[in-house]
Amino acid sequence: MPPVVTALRRFPNPRLTGIGAGLFASLTMFVLACLDRLLFDSSELVYGLLFLPVSALTALWVRPADLVTAPISVPIAFAVGVFPISGGSSGFGGQTMALVTALAVHAGWLYGGTLIAGLIASVRKVRHMRARRRYLALQGRTGEGAGGAGGTGKARRPVARGPQKVAGAAARAAGPAERPRADGPAERPRADGPAERPRADGPAERPRASR
């Protein structure tokens, strides 16, 4: 592995949100502009050269979901950082005019940094989309392989059925059960005739009392 790649991998590789990347770029450019004013007497060349790597780092460190915010955060950071080196007179109007003039003078650096951030964000977006497409294709092939090995690819869970449900299913599969039918209405047993009461041969004789 080349030593340059090894050295680059040792650098921090954070994943910032869109707001986090904007704050990072703005604070970094403001601090660098203050150092430029103290050390290099508000040099436009120094500020512009420092703005380019900050733009690249902002586009590299933003997370893939917020790549679109990188080209937007960089111009805002440039405007925030250019304020200390604008050199305007006292008063709000003088400061505003100096800021607008500095932005117009430094427009080349502004466009250059924004272009770098946009190119890096676009390349990262394309690579992320390709990696996602390969991952989905690999998942689809894995699913097809599992389906070919197992038949349908989906394991069916055995359904536990109770004895009554099993018996009912077997009865439905065999067909409707035939009920025994009687040839006619059930006949009730009839007596041969009315019960005959025993009759005496004659009227019962009363016992007579002896005289």
Side-chain angles (χ1 to χ4, degrees), residues 105-210:
V105 172
H106 300 162
W109 297 109
L110 175 61
Y111 294 151
T114 306
L115 180 61
I116 291 175
L119 288 177
I120 294 176
S122 301
V123 172
R124 287 189 59 197
K125 186 66 175 180
V126 171
R127 293 183 60 184
H128 178 70
M129 291 175 64
R130 288 181 178 178
R132 182 175 178 82
R133 193 175 301 171
R134 286 195 299 267
Y135 174 76
L136 293 177
L138 182 61
Q139 290 292 328
R141 292 176 183 176
T142 305
E144 290 177 1
T152 58
K154 296 182 180 180
R156 297 183 177 179
R157 298 181 179 178
V159 180
R161 297 182 177 178
Q164 297 179 356
K165 293 184 178 180
V166 173
R172 286 194 299 270
E178 297 182 357
R179 297 181 179 179
R181 294 181 300 175
D183 296 336
E187 297 181 358
R188 296 181 180 179
R190 293 181 299 176
D192 295 338
E196 297 180 356
R197 296 180 181 179
R199 293 181 297 174
D201 295 336
E205 296 181 357
R206 297 180 181 178
R208 296 178 182 179
S210 57

Side-chain angles (χ1 to χ4, degrees), residues 41-170:
D41 195 17
S42 301
S43 174
E44 301 175 0
L45 180 62
V46 173
Y47 182 78
L49 290 176
L50 293 175
F51 174 68
L52 299 181
V54 171
S55 302
L57 290 177
T58 303
L60 285 173
W61 287 351
V62 69
R63 64 183 184 179
D66 297 330
L67 283 172
V68 70
T69 62
I72 301 173
S73 303
V74 167
I76 298 175
F78 185 88
V80 172
V82 83
F83 182 76
I85 62 173
S86 58
S89 59
S90 59
F92 179 77
Q95 293 290 337
T96 303
M97 290 300 299
L99 180 61
V100 173
T101 303
L103 289 175
V105 172
H106 300 162
W109 297 109
L110 175 61
Y111 294 151
T114 306
L115 180 61
I116 291 175
L119 288 177
I120 294 176
S122 301
V123 172
R124 287 189 59 197
K125 186 66 175 180
V126 171
R127 293 183 60 184
H128 178 70
M129 291 175 64
R130 288 181 178 178
R132 182 175 178 82
R133 193 175 301 171
R134 286 195 299 267
Y135 174 76
L136 293 177
L138 182 61
Q139 290 292 328
R141 292 176 183 176
T142 305
E144 290 177 1
T152 58
K154 296 182 180 180
R156 297 183 177 179
R157 298 181 179 178
V159 180
R161 297 182 177 178
Q164 297 179 356
K165 293 184 178 180
V166 173

